[in-house]
Amino acid sequence: MSFTYLRQIPSPGEIKTQYPLSERLAAIKKARDQQISDILTGKDDRFLVIIGPCSADSEDPVCEYVNRLAKVQEKVKDRLLLVPRIYTNKPRTTGEGYKGIASQPDPEKAPDMIAGLISVRKMHLRAIAESELTPADEMLYPENWEYVADLLSYVAIGARSVEDQQHRLTVSGFDVASGMKNPTSGDFSVMLNSVYAAQHPHHFTFRGYEVETTGNPLTHVVLRGAVSKHGNTVQNYHYEDIMRLSDMYNERDLVNPAAIIDANHSNSGKKYEEQVRIVKEVMHNRQISDTIKTLVKGVMIESYLEPGCQKIGDHVYGKSITDPCLGWDASEKLIYKMADLT
């Protein structure tokens, strides 16, 4: 047969029992979840900044990054809410290459799914305990959600997953903020249909059970740029794009209209230094348009300790092994600039 069954994966309950979330950390997460909810629903006028490595491939540099972020958070807490990106799954366009720590805890060794799930949980727990910042992660595999459901304050659904029915239905059962990216085609209708689906209740099968969900009112859109039929990147963070998005939101039966601007990926053409310029343009547009200020609630930035990226095996501490990232110095400077412009 085509499948070779290697071993059974421990249940989410078993791994949570081995690596539990303490009452102190659970209280921190509850408070942070509420703050993010208040920003997305308009009760809090602070600006969300979801920032961190393209892929969280190693615990020590990731936690060092998050600890640095926590110190900056204290200085900008009245204007910005910083959410560290701890992305433990890496979608691959062709299916080849490093797929993230959840699949491959050591990028230079063979995949190990059990060790990967444990590594994910340990890294998230350590980051929260040391920084008191609760993280964002991408839900690439819906069946893995329960392994981290008690740890995450923000969940992203990627451009290649946003049209998938199981992703949409699973998000409808979340009680945390969930961002639906536009597909690589750039179609806003697809993205908004995904938001609609996730905001409404559903009845489906999940992890061997028949389940019902109530809908997730905190589901919103993430604009990450697109790729044209000729293979060129197309930006969608400009003034005109946001105004068109606002009109389309108003035409649909959706609650809590909100958009996050992804400053990298196709919006920057993966030219990581362009993120600085893009973020400044977003902040400028919020200043000159009440519609944009109301709709655009935050940005996503790919950032790490060292700028750029490296090949697997180069062993530069705190440098991305996937997409290139903004370095720490430029990132810190940009955060303070955003605080000034909020």
Side-chain angles (χ1 to χ4, degrees):
M1 60 191 300
S2 299
F3 286 89
T4 300
Y5 289 82
L6 302 176
R7 52 184 172 163
Q8 189 167 10
I9 302 294
S11 70
E14 290 171 319
I15 289 186
K16 284 180 179 179
T17 298
Q18 294 178 43
Y19 303 95
L21 182 71
S22 69
E23 291 186 6
R24 180 181 77 86
L25 298 187
I28 290 170
K29 175 176 150 41
K30 183 178 180 180
R32 293 261 301 172
D33 289 354
Q34 187 61 54
Q35 291 177 60
I36 295 172
S37 174
D38 287 347
I39 291 172
L40 292 174
T41 57
K43 298 176 184 177
D44 186 334
D45 63 2
R46 286 183 296 170
F47 196 64
L48 274 175
V49 181
I50 302 164
I51 184 169
C54 171
S55 178
D57 58 89
S58 181
E59 183 177 308
D60 286 343
V62 167
C63 288
E64 179 176 332
Y65 179 94
V66 176
N67 286 331
R68 291 188 190 185
L69 206 61
K71 295 176 182 178
V72 177
Q73 172 67 95
E74 187 61 28
K75 297 176 183 178
V76 299
K77 62 184 179 181
D78 294 335
R79 298 188 180 186
L80 306 177
L81 185 66
L82 308 183
V83 180
R85 280 177 57 113
I86 303 182
Y87 279 29
T88 56
N89 296 282
K90 179 64 180 174
R92 311 305 308 196
T93 303
T94 64
E96 295 182 343
Y98 175 66
K99 296 180 177 65
I101 197 170
S103 302
Q104 201 172 352
D106 186 333
E108 298 180 66
K109 294 183 180 179
D112 187 329
M113 307 301 289
I114 296 177
L117 290 170
I118 290 171
S119 295
V120 166
R121 192 158 178 88
K122 287 175 64 179
M123 179 163 54
H124 281 307
L125 284 167
R126 177 181 166 188
I128 299 169
E130 292 181 358
S131 70
E132 298 191 355
L133 301 182
T134 46
D137 200 348
E138 179 174 353
M139 187 182 71
L140 186 58
Y141 306 109
E143 63 271 23
N144 286 351
W145 163 245
E146 291 186 351
Y147 291 99
V148 291
D150 57 334
L151 305 177
L152 302 181
S153 286
Y154 188 95
V155 179
I157 306 301
R160 297 165 186 83
S161 301
V162 74
E163 297 185 70
D164 177 65
Q165 184 81 337
Q166 193 70 9
H167 281 81
R168 293 175 172 189
L169 299 183
T170 303
V171 173
S172 74
F174 291 0
D175 58 2
V176 295
S178 304
M180 299 291 201
K181 290 194 173 185
N182 63 261
T184 54
S185 68
D187 191 327
F188 280 11
S189 294
V190 169
M191 173 179 64
L192 288 166
N193 287 342
S194 188
V195 173
Y196 182 94
Q199 285 193 356
H200 288 76
H202 293 285
H203 191 126
F204 60 104
T205 59
F206 183 73
R207 292 189 61 86
Y209 288 85
E210 182 178 9
V211 300
E212 287 184 338
T213 59
T214 57
N216 179 358
L218 299 178
T219 311
H220 57 278
V221 305
V222 179
L223 302 184
R224 50 88 71 200
V227 179
S228 74
K229 64 181 181 180
H230 301 295
N232 301 316
T233 55
V234 180
Q235 294 72 41
N236 61 11
Y237 60 87
H238 297 304
Y239 181 98
E240 296 80 5
D241 299 305
I242 308 304
M243 298 304 286
R244 181 168 71 92
L245 174 64
S246 177
D247 290 341
M248 294 179 72
Y249 244 123
N250 292 333
E251 294 168 357
R252 287 163 169 78
D253 180 22
L254 298 171
V255 298
N256 303 319
I260 304 293
I261 308 300
D262 181 344
N264 212 14
H265 296 99
S266 291
N267 272 331
S268 69
K270 295 190 178 179
K271 297 176 181 177
Y272 68 93
E273 293 172 314
E274 290 294 299
Q275 294 182 101
V276 175
R277 177 189 58 78
I278 291 167
V279 168
K280 288 180 179 178
E281 179 178 326
V282 171
M283 305 307 291
H284 171 73
N285 287 338
R286 292 181 83 245
Q287 289 181 323
I288 64 173
S289 169
D290 288 340
T291 297
I292 292 178
K293 184 172 184 178
T294 299
L295 183 60
V296 177
K297 305 290 189 180
V299 292
M300 286 184 175
I301 300 167
E302 291 195 323
S303 157
Y304 211 178
L305 299 178
E306 298 295 333
C309 62
Q310 63 181 324
K311 294 179 180 179
I312 293 174
D314 285 354
H315 301 296
V316 178
Y317 184 82
K319 192 170 187 175
S320 176
I321 61 171
T322 49
D323 290 349
C325 296
L326 203 63
W328 173 256
D329 291 342
S331 301
E332 183 179 20
K333 184 178 179 180
L334 182 57
I335 291 170
Y336 293 136
K337 185 66 175 178
M338 279 189 282
D340 290 341
L341 295 174
T342 301

